[in-house]
Amino acid sequence: MRKFTGLLLAICAPAFFIQTALAQEEKTALVPLPSLDDFTRGEDGWGFGLGLGVEYESAYEGSDEFDFEVSPAGAVQWRKGDDIFFWAGEVLGWRGLRSDTWLLQASVGFEEGREEGDSDDGRLDGLGDTDEGVEFVLQARRAFDADWRYWLDGRIVTGETGNLGIVGVGRRFGERNDGTGSELSIAAVFHDSDLANEQFGVDPTQAAASGLDETELSGGFRSIGVNYNYRAYINDNWQIFGEALYERYSSDIADSPITRNNYEAEVGVGFIYVF
């Protein structure tokens, strides 16, 4: 869950991009939300997008260290009517539009764990590495009308390390239906005790090895977050995208000795070539 609207607009939305985007022929996306890429150009069959993104983000959950990370972007997609099957990096999934105002999505992916080496300052020394594993995501979005100007979002993430729930509301800006424009959402995040302790707890063994106070957390409210997405066509094949995230932790998470900041933040920008 992983973004500072003003900075992102300054980076991603100069007049050149806006003018060229407006010059594009309209290509209807499955759902016209910038946060959901659709490379099928509104047609049944295969869609491909390949690119690169650069993110400046917290080194780990609760970290006060920030790092740049370069990662591939894009996906392989296959569309049939109001359904898209996709493979994006370590995620395989499906999303489908129902009754013009319901978007359902299911996916399975690989969740990386935390490593002691994620902290260059040695603040994770003695805590060991947290588990990696497979996670499943079920999501439903409900628009207030068919143009997806306003929408509600519910998401359940379950995996070997615990469970996460997200409830949010969003607003789409822009008039085009090709998935370009910008989008702002606010979400409340909840987790169970297993995930809370996996990420922010300190068991007796870890406390002895790290010198941190032993900490056991219960499940419940985790954070409130604000997320901003931007997407535009530079020409018929090239897209520019950006994202910014700010997540404010609850007092229980902020009081954990692992948490050096009471928030997590990320800002990123990238390019994708749509075949």
Side-chain angles (χ1 to χ4, degrees):
M1 271 189 329
R2 300 86 115 235
K3 297 184 175 191
F4 323 129
T5 304
L7 173 62
L8 198 62
L9 283 171
I11 295 174
C12 298
F16 171 77
F17 295 133
I18 295 175
Q19 292 170 0
T20 54
L22 290 175
Q24 300 293 317
E25 179 184 352
E26 184 85 4
K27 302 177 179 67
T28 303
L30 181 67
V31 178
L33 297 180
S35 58
L36 299 174
D37 49 27
D38 183 348
F39 305 132
T40 64
R41 301 181 183 271
E43 300 176 354
D44 285 358
W46 291 100
F48 301 91
L50 182 62
L52 202 66
V54 180
E55 297 177 339
Y56 185 66
E57 60 184 355
S58 304
Y60 57 90
E61 304 274 1
S63 173
D64 60 355
E65 303 169 58
F66 289 82
D67 294 321
F68 284 99
E69 181 178 351
V70 179
S71 57
V76 177
Q77 301 173 338
W78 186 79
R79 180 169 179 171
K80 179 65 174 177
D82 289 333
D83 297 279
I84 289 180
F85 299 86
F86 62 90
W87 173 44
E90 298 175 334
V91 178
L92 185 66
W94 158 87
R95 67 174 63 111
L97 183 65
R98 299 294 180 266
S99 304
D100 292 329
T101 55
W102 278 100
L103 179 70
L104 306 178
Q105 179 167 313
S107 64
V108 56
F110 181 76
E111 174 64 20
E112 296 181 358
R114 186 188 66 210
E115 300 179 356
E116 286 190 9
D118 288 343
S119 172
D120 293 335
D121 296 336
R123 292 178 173 172
L124 298 176
D125 290 353
L127 294 177
D129 300 340
T130 61
D131 292 336
E132 302 175 338
V134 175
E135 67 176 19
F136 299 89
V137 181
L138 296 175
Q139 181 177 3
R141 292 193 186 190
R142 173 68 161 88
F144 289 91
D145 49 47
D147 69 358
W148 285 82
R149 185 65 58 194
Y150 297 93
W151 47 265
L152 300 173
D153 180 55
R155 195 178 318 173
I156 297 175
V157 183
T158 183
E160 300 173 35
T161 58
N163 303 292
L164 192 75
I166 302 172
V167 179
V169 60
R171 165 76 155 90
R172 179 176 73 92
F173 302 91
E175 301 300 325
R176 297 175 62 82
N177 292 318
D178 59 356
T180 61
S182 60
E183 178 185 341
L184 184 68
S185 62
I186 300 174
V189 185
F190 304 85
H191 56 189
D192 63 14
S193 59
D194 289 339
L195 186 59
N197 285 291
E198 176 78 7
Q199 296 180 333
F200 302 103
V202 182
D203 64 28
T205 301
Q206 292 173 321
S210 67
L212 300 178
D213 292 337
E214 184 177 343
T215 303
E216 184 174 358
L217 300 169
S218 58
F221 176 66
R222 168 194 167 106
S223 61
I224 186 79
V226 179
N227 193 73
Y228 177 82
N229 287 272
Y230 176 85
R231 189 179 301 271
Y233 276 99
I234 301 173
N235 56 38
D236 193 52
N237 295 101
W238 284 100
Q239 284 187 4
I240 184 172
F241 67 90
E243 186 177 14
L245 168 72
Y246 178 82
E247 182 182 0
R248 181 80 175 196
Y249 292 132
S250 68
S251 57
D252 288 347
I253 302 302
D255 290 341
S256 166
I258 294 176
T259 307
R260 303 288 178 163
N261 265 339
N262 59 5
Y263 67 89
E264 181 181 353
E266 177 183 333
V267 61
V269 63
F271 294 88
I272 292 178
Y273 184 87
V274 181
F275 292 85

